[in-house]
Amino acid sequence: MTKPAFGIDIGGSGIKGAPVDLDAGTLAANRVRIPTPKPSTPDAVADVVAELIGKFDVSDDMPVGVTFPAVIHEGVAQTASNVDKSWIGTDVDALLTERTGHDVFVVNDADAAGIAEMEFGAGRGASGVTIMTTLGTGIGSAMFIDGILVPNSELGHLTLHGEKAEAYAASSIFEKEKLSWKEWASRLQEYYSMVEFLFTPDLFIVGGGISKEADKFLPLLDLKTPIVSADLRNQAGIIGAAVLAKREKKTLVKQEKRAKKSEKKSGKPSKKKSA
């Protein structure tokens, strides 16, 4: 068993983390959970992330992947869902790297769950277009083409009945409105039919806590696209973040090696990207 990366899942109520065995696609130790601070400002959350890592024996060279409930572009938060709005415009990569002393790589939370499922779960070996949705407080999404992530798809924000689809069909709405499985499945049918029409996927994967009861609603859907429940469930975010961190670390090392070779050949210092 190896422990080549560390994964952290930042949520609205809790921040969870553990080292990950990327040979097996499992947690390499029991995860630790610390309540998300209130208010969940960048400084406060960064302190908790550093505290969480400190609870494990994490080597200096171990990359750390972090999920974040926002659109993430080049490490910067473009939105803020279930966290303080002061995160918008924050370079999350740079902040957490500085605060923890580790190379930190941040990814949208739904994208992280999708990465885990494609690597070790229900999407393993899938080709063509795969769309994973996480049904929870909202509807998160992750889209892949031949296993390659198309980041920040945000398909829960598609419009359905004049509002965001997640405000109509998320599992939180199922619980809030006390819908029957059949009633909720009818709403999911509308949602997945719309996504199917727009993207013609080859596979749907359904995650989120409610997916453990997938047998009560997935058989009620009538779609052309195969639709299956996720395998990794509440561990997917941590595992997916660790997978991404390992990949990004490899890319970073390769870039640094190329820069050093170029510098040696030209005799001039290479330009380094500022943090």
Side-chain angles (χ1 to χ4, degrees):
M1 180 180 68
T2 59
K3 296 186 289 185
F6 195 91
I8 295 176
D9 190 3
I10 296 177
S13 61
I15 298 174
K16 305 168 285 292
V20 175
D21 176 358
L22 293 184
D23 288 336
T26 59
L27 303 189
N30 291 331
R31 70 176 188 174
V32 169
R33 180 186 185 278
I34 301 175
T36 302
K38 305 296 183 185
S40 52
T41 60
D43 279 341
V45 170
D47 284 342
V48 171
V49 169
E51 177 187 351
L52 195 155
I53 293 174
K55 293 182 178 296
F56 295 86
D57 181 17
V58 181
S59 61
D60 292 341
D61 62 347
M62 184 183 291
V64 176
V66 177
T67 79
F68 198 75
V71 170
I72 299 292
H73 182 63
E74 295 185 350
V76 178
Q78 307 295 321
T79 60
S81 301
N82 300 317
V83 289
D84 196 83
K85 300 304 180 186
S86 60
W87 278 99
I88 298 175
T90 298
D91 189 330
V92 190
D93 271 11
L95 172 65
L96 297 183
T97 294
E98 184 276 329
R99 194 64 58 92
T100 66
H102 292 270
D103 288 324
V104 175
F105 305 93
V106 181
V107 60
N108 170 269
D109 51 359
D111 286 348
I115 289 169
E117 288 295 333
M118 296 300 288
E119 190 79 9
F120 299 108
R124 190 170 188 174
S127 59
V129 177
T130 300
I131 294 177
M132 177 172 174
T133 57
T134 53
L135 303 175
T137 303
I139 298 178
S141 67
M143 184 184 298
F144 299 84
I145 299 177
D146 291 333
I148 304 301
L149 174 68
V150 180
N152 300 309
S153 54
E154 295 291 320
L155 300 184
H157 291 190
L158 291 171
T159 301
L160 191 60
H161 297 292
E163 59 185 350
K164 291 180 180 179
E166 61 185 14
Y168 178 70
S171 63
S172 60
I173 303 301
F174 163 67
E175 296 167 359
K176 180 181 178 181
E177 298 187 12
K178 296 181 171 56
L179 301 173
S180 67
W181 291 108
K182 185 176 180 180
E183 288 171 332
W184 187 45
S186 177
R187 296 191 182 195
L188 291 175
Q189 177 71 47
E190 292 183 71
Y191 173 69
Y192 286 111
S193 292
M194 177 173 60
V195 176
E196 185 176 60
F197 173 75
L198 290 172
F199 299 101
T200 317
D202 296 281
L203 176 66
F204 279 124
I205 301 173
V206 180
I210 198 73
S211 65
K212 65 180 179 291
E213 299 190 80
D215 61 323
K216 295 180 180 178
F217 62 92
L218 289 190
L220 300 177
L221 303 181
D222 182 17
L223 300 165
K224 297 176 183 177
T225 307
I227 185 166
V228 299
S229 61
D231 290 338
L232 303 176
R233 299 202 174 103
N234 63 355
Q235 295 184 358
I238 293 174
I239 293 171
V243 171
L244 175 97
K246 187 67 174 179
R247 289 177 184 170
E248 293 295 317
K249 178 70 171 182
K250 284 183 178 179
T251 300
L252 188 62
V253 169
K254 287 179 181 178
Q255 290 174 342
E256 289 175 346
K257 285 182 177 178
R258 283 197 296 265
K260 287 180 180 179
K261 285 183 179 179
S262 176
E263 180 180 335
K264 187 176 181 179
K265 186 178 291 186
S266 65
K268 296 180 181 179
S270 59
K271 292 183 179 180
K272 295 181 179 179
K273 183 179 178 182
S274 58

